[in-house]
Amino acid sequence: MTSSMSMGQPVGASGTAGRGRFEAPAASVTPMVQLVDPSGVRVDDPDFAPIAPPDQTAALLRDMALIRRFDTEATALQRKGQLGLWAPLLGQEAIQVGVHSVLGGTDHVFPSHREHGVGMLMGLPIERMFGIFKGCEMGDWDAEALRFHHYSMVIGAHTLHAVGYAMGMAADARREDARRTDGQRPSSEPGVSVVFHGDGAISEGDVNEAYIFAAAYQAPTVFICVNNQWAISEPVERQSRVPLYQRAWGFGIPGIRVDGNDVLAVQAVTSWALDRARTGQGPTLIEAFTYRMGAHTTSDDPTKYRSADESEGWQHRDPIARTSAWLRSVGEWDDAQQAQLDQDTEAFGAEVRAAVDRVPDPSLGQVFDRVYAGTTDLLERERAEALGRVAR
Ligand SMILES: Cc1ncc(C[n+]2csc(CCOP(=O)(O)OP(=O)(O)O)c2C)c(N)n1
């Protein structure tokens, strides 16, 4: 084909390209749900309000302080050589606590590689998390019982698992409904799968396929896209020409951006999205706008790819400082409560340090035990070979 045939050139567009329908939509202000501003002042949102009274918010502050302590201890343990690696969650506490605070008893969480706080709050023993980062375990806890599924080190892969799981839960609920003859609703609430992925993950094929499936089957899935601005050293601007939450609409999924450093806003928006999923209205994508305050993992040096000005600019948006400032302003937090919390986090720090010593050191044979639910001939041959080699 010669260039003069210029397939795809719209009739009459020559000389007018860039006008009217051929022009990109004008950039608009990106609306973000926020209920408490960085200085701790309550602000109004046209669609969302806090869902819990202030006296219950103190519990959220406490959870944020505890998971921050867990994280800083873990980072220090890595520096001492007691963990091989750690992926810090510093700065992302409000997202993890806000989402966790509204999960129902039948909801399942599919984490990425930084949701240690959610795992801890859902009851995953710290030594099991440490086992992964010490290289001593595969993270094969009973995900079904815990409702906190396995860490996904393959970026984005778990979003497909989450959607498949949601479709399964929806199918079970339909079957249960059909079986019932008394016309009553089942005793337990239908479950929702809540999946965390990063801004970088949104560029993965798996994540886009997950969105397509979720939209096509109206799966009860809530996608929490943790936009911490960086995928290791790739800034979010290089990955998407539009705000991330707007991508969702192209798949037919409502998208909404929330201030990820505002625990009340995260709680309110997640509760709304869970409710949509539970009542058969399908998936939602929540873009939680935040910043990774620390390194990507303890193996990298963020000063090599981002400016000190940028990182400092986020210091004043700290989720913990903001929540305590607001709680103080409404008389739900004072120095005595803070002193108690400081004491509790200190004691908790000691528990975290003790947990790393409880990580069992697996024997070589055990490595073969937990590859599949059952064993195979090939695995048995490999086990015998490996054990034979060390015995020689
Ligand atoms: C499929 C795949 N590609 C690349 C990597 C290497 N990798 C590990 S973390 C990461 C960046 C992830 O960024 P993001 O999704 O924004 O999450 P964040 O680490 O910021 O929480 C990459 C590229 C991987 N683990 N899996």
Side-chain angles (χ1 to χ4, degrees):
M1 184 190 297
T2 64
S3 61
S4 62
M5 290 170 79
S6 63
M7 199 171 80
Q9 177 78 354
V11 177
S14 115
T16 60
R19 293 218 331 258
R21 71 192 303 177
F22 306 115
E23 199 168 82
S28 61
V29 179
T30 302
M32 178 163 81
V33 180
Q34 185 180 71
L35 297 174
V36 176
D37 78 6
S39 58
V41 173
R42 198 39 201 99
V43 287
D44 283 331
D45 179 274
D47 300 306
F48 292 94
I51 59 167
D55 60 332
Q56 287 177 23
T57 307
L60 305 181
L61 179 64
R62 183 183 165 82
D63 282 348
M64 288 196 287
L66 289 176
I67 69 172
R68 177 168 292 183
R69 184 60 184 243
F70 168 33
D71 184 62
T72 47
E73 289 289 347
T75 303
L77 286 168
Q78 194 284 328
R79 295 288 182 241
K80 285 172 69 190
Q82 286 177 275
L83 296 175
L85 182 79
W86 186 247
L89 62 78
L90 187 66
Q92 301 181 189
E93 296 87 353
I95 301 170
Q96 302 201 12
V97 168
V99 171
H100 168 263
S101 70
V102 287
L103 292 175
T106 51
D107 299 335
H108 284 247
V109 172
F110 292 77
S112 182
H113 51 280
R114 214 180 283 286
E115 276 71 45
H116 325 301
V118 186
M120 186 190 107
L121 295 171
M122 290 185 80
L124 178 62
I126 287 170
E127 56 266 36
R128 301 248 22 201
M129 267 177 271
F130 280 171
I132 300 175
F133 289 95
K134 209 174 171 179
C136 292
E137 86 142 278
M138 299 183 220
D140 56 340
W141 48 79
D142 187 347
E144 193 59 26
L146 201 60
R147 297 183 293 105
F148 182 78
H149 289 251
H150 305 141
Y151 273 49
S152 180
M153 303 300 182
V154 181
I155 299 300
H158 64 306
T159 56
L160 289 163
H161 305 166
V163 173
Y165 200 90
M167 288 164 63
M169 285 194 286
D172 284 350
R174 278 195 302 274
R175 261 195 299 276
E176 162 89 348
D177 267 355
R179 254 200 310 269
R180 293 183 76 93
T181 49
D182 55 10
Q184 292 189 335
R185 295 283 312 148
S187 50
S188 64
E189 268 192 326
V192 177
S193 72
V194 177
V195 55
F196 289 83
H197 67 71
D199 45 284
I202 218 164
S203 301
E204 288 284 348
D206 282 359
V207 177
N208 289 266
E209 289 164 23
Y211 291 169
I212 291 168
F213 258 83
Y217 292 94
Q218 288 292 281
T221 305
V222 176
F223 296 95
I224 313 278
C225 173
V226 180
N227 178 4
N228 64 13
Q229 314 299 321
W230 290 91
I232 312 185
S233 53
E234 286 297 300
V236 67
E237 300 78 29
R238 200 171 297 149
Q239 310 222 26
S240 186
R241 303 295 291 261
V242 297
L244 300 183
Y245 78 96
Q246 287 180 5
R247 289 239 187 133
W249 292 100
F251 295 92
I253 297 176
I256 186 163
R257 179 180 275 185
V258 66
D259 184 336
N261 288 20
D262 175 358
V263 72
L264 291 194
V266 172
Q267 191 182 47
V269 170
T270 310
S271 168
W272 165 78
L274 284 169
D275 198 48
R276 290 191 74 250
R278 239 188 277 294
T279 52
Q281 297 172 72
T284 306
L285 172 77
I286 299 172
E287 178 193 351
F289 199 78
T290 186
Y291 193 73
R292 164 165 62 73
M293 296 304 292
H296 169 70
T297 67
T298 44
S299 301
D300 91 332
D301 175 2
T303 63
K304 295 278 187 290
Y305 52 78
R306 63 188 194 186
S307 71
D309 280 357
E310 181 191 287
S311 305
E312 277 157 23
W314 278 85
Q315 295 281 356
H316 80 283
R317 304 193 211 185
D318 183 74
I320 296 184
R322 177 187 314 203
T323 309
S324 65
W326 174 66
L327 282 170
R328 279 179 189 271
S329 74
V330 293
E332 291 293 345
W333 198 249
D334 58 24
D335 289 349
Q337 282 165 298
Q338 185 62 50
Q340 182 63 55
L341 181 57
D342 290 345
Q343 209 178 311
D344 293 350
T345 47
E346 199 57 33
F348 180 61
E351 269 179 50
V352 172
R353 292 192 296 278
V356 80
D357 295 326
R358 288 200 299 271
V359 177
D361 202 2
S363 67
L364 182 58
Q366 280 173 317
V367 170
F368 296 88
D369 287 343
R370 285 145 69 173
V371 178
Y372 301 117
T375 191
T376 66
D377 289 345
L378 177 63
L379 261 183
E380 287 309 314
R381 276 203 305 279
E382 286 177 347
R383 180 206 300 269
E385 206 181 296
L387 292 177
R389 217 176 299 131
V390 289
R392 275 203 294 274

